Amino acid sequence: MGDSVGQVSLDLVLNKGDFEAGLNSIARLATKAGKMLAGAFAVGKLISFGKECIELSSNLSEVQNVVDTVFPTMNKQIDNFAKNAAAQFGLSETMAKNFTGTFGAMGKAFGFSEGQAYGMATALTGLAGDVASFYNMSQDEAYTKLKSVFTGETESLKSLGVVMTQTALDAFAMANGFGKTTKSMSEAEKVALRFKFVQDQLSAAQGDFMRTSDGWANQVRLLSLQFDSLKAAIGSGLIAVLSPVVRMLNILIGRILTAISALRSFFSMLGGTAKLAINPKGVTAGTDAVAKSADKASGALGGAGGAAKKAAKDIKSATTGIDELNILPDQSDSSGGGGGGEGGGGGADFPMESFDTGAMEEGTAKINEHLQGMIDRFNELKNLFMSGFWEGLKDTSVLDSIKENLKGIGESLVNIFTSSEVLNAANTFADRVAVDLGKIAGAGVSIGLTFVDFLSGSVEKYLAQNTERIKKFIVKMFDIEGDIADIQANFAVAIADIFSVLQGDNFKQIGADIISIVSDILGTFIVVSESFFRDSIDVILTPVVELKDRIIETYNALSEPVMQVFNALAEIFHMYGDTIISIYDNSIHPLFTLMKETIVSVGDKFLDSFGTYILPIVQKAADKFTDFKDNVIAPLMPKFEEVFGKISECIQVA
């Protein structure tokens, strides 16, 4: 069948079965490719998830270090507070410990005790969670704003409705028992004042998360915190598993770096960068040998040889410069001058004849020999690899077949996607989808308009049908509310009339008598109690004042015998200590020494006896077991295999 599509002429005879098989094969390949891409994407996401888990767990550990340092005796209370912070304040455990640790450190920096810093830190941390919920902001932003309690900044708090000016602080201090203004306060007192002021100004936000925890926003926030806690728990497990691996990698990399450093030093020595005070002629001879070895290496390594040859020539030129600049005339005397030749090298203070360069030349020859051996071995391995590669590859015509297959696939895809049938079908599909999307959109708008019409029509009909009834309801409600207002006003007037009797002189005299009674009772109690206190302290303190001189004389007289007693006690304990030490050194220590020597002697005899009598028995038993394995167990294994093979054959036949 011949068919023409555009400028592409096709003359194909298609077999339906083969054609469908080819399409199915292409579909399977596409499915596999899609699965591979999905797998790669999933692996990438899994790695990213693991990284997040490890980072969260690591952050929690770092924050725990801060908490342990700031609150060394109250870290358990911090742990309990942080674990309940998600349900109470909408804060994760990491956030709660981070905020509490920072606030606590700032509080202790201002001189507050650990307990006081704990109270301030937990209060501000909880307030940060409530402020974030109340003002619908992030917890970190609320935490940053509340640090103004310690820093004294005012701008960050204004967005929360807190205007913390000095005038406002002074007025709050005088009204709340501080007794002085900020000018007379220390820095710690100012922090305490700002802390109370901010708590008072944000009292409306306190407890907001608990009040609104059932709302959508806080439930989503709580879900996110729970998920972070889950990731942190997973991360702690991953850290426990991966820590030994990371530790081994660090050790391995450290050893690799050490080896590289040693290798660099070795090659630096070969290149002449190490400054050695030796005969320049010996240096030239040695570096010429290195250059020759580099030439040999360049011949063996092919493309890399050019670089090695250039390095060898550079070494030669460098050492030639040394000969030209630093070769000194042979001096017979030991009093050489300051320098000779154009270079002014100044080496006469060190006679060159005193250095033997034969050892260096011998070492250079050995290095050349080892390098050449390494190069030869690399060439052997390269040849073996290429031989094995071509032997394993065998037929290379498969590459031509793959090329033809890919070419055929490309031509078939071009034929498929440029045919008029496919293009017409695609255009028809686009037209139908556009019309259908328009229908769907119109139907959605129609539903919405119908619903609005339903509501507005229902309200309109209700109002039209019940206008008079609604009027009556409204009039009746206003009348009832007016009656209620009249009753309340009449009650207030009656109460005022009742209390007006207190204006009479009799009631005023009654009030005066009540005040007089209370005043007399309180005055009498105060006078009697003060008199009792005065007489009590007079009985206790006045005798001490009057007997002061006699007490001093008595203490002075008593000090002499007491001093003698304590001197005697000191001498007794001194003699006691010396006696105990002497007893231990002369009696107990020799006993331990004898025990040690006895144990060593017994152990030595036991080990001799073990090697002489017991070890040969163990060896004989091992030999017997080996004979049993070789002569009994090993011959039975083929029999077992044969028996089980027969059983398997019987089962298969059955």
Side-chain angles (χ1 to χ4, degrees), residues 50 71 101 120 292 305 309 315 471 478 496 509 549 577 628 632:
F71 301 104
M120 296 177 69
K292 291 177 182 178
K309 258 182 197 176
I315 295 173
K471 290 179 181 178
F478 281 129
Q509 184 59 47
D549 296 333
F628 175 75
V632 179

Side-chain angles (χ1 to χ4, degrees), residues 256-329:
I256 291 173
L257 291 175
T258 302
I260 291 174
S261 178
L263 189 61
R264 181 182 60 188
S265 301
F266 171 71
F267 282 110
S268 297
M269 183 185 71
L270 291 182
T273 56
K275 297 181 180 179
L276 302 173
I278 59 177
N279 193 329
K281 292 182 179 180
V283 175
T284 306
T287 51
D288 283 340
V290 175
K292 291 177 182 178
S293 297
D295 289 337
K296 293 178 182 178
S298 67
L301 294 176
K309 258 182 197 176
K310 186 176 182 301
K313 291 178 180 178
D314 292 340
I315 295 173
K316 286 182 181 180
S317 62
T319 54
T320 302
I322 294 174
D323 285 341
E324 292 175 359
L325 294 175
N326 298 322
I327 294 176
L328 300 177

Side-chain angles (χ1 to χ4, degrees), residues 316-395:
K316 286 182 181 180
S317 62
T319 54
T320 302
I322 294 174
D323 285 341
E324 292 175 359
L325 294 175
N326 298 322
I327 294 176
L328 300 177
D330 194 4
Q331 302 277 341
S332 59
D333 56 1
S334 60
S335 60
E342 297 176 359
D349 290 338
F350 302 92
M352 298 300 177
E353 294 80 0
S354 62
F355 293 93
D356 183 12
T357 60
M360 181 174 180
E361 292 175 358
E362 182 180 355
T364 304
K366 290 182 179 179
I367 292 171
N368 293 338
E369 181 180 353
H370 287 299
L371 288 175
Q372 186 60 44
M374 292 171 61
I375 292 168
D376 294 340
R377 182 56 179 161
F378 279 131
N379 286 330
E380 292 176 5
L381 294 175
K382 179 194 74 172
N383 294 333
L384 290 173
F385 173 80
M386 295 306 298
S387 175
F389 177 81
W390 291 115
E391 182 179 353
L393 183 60
K394 294 182 180 178
D395 186 12

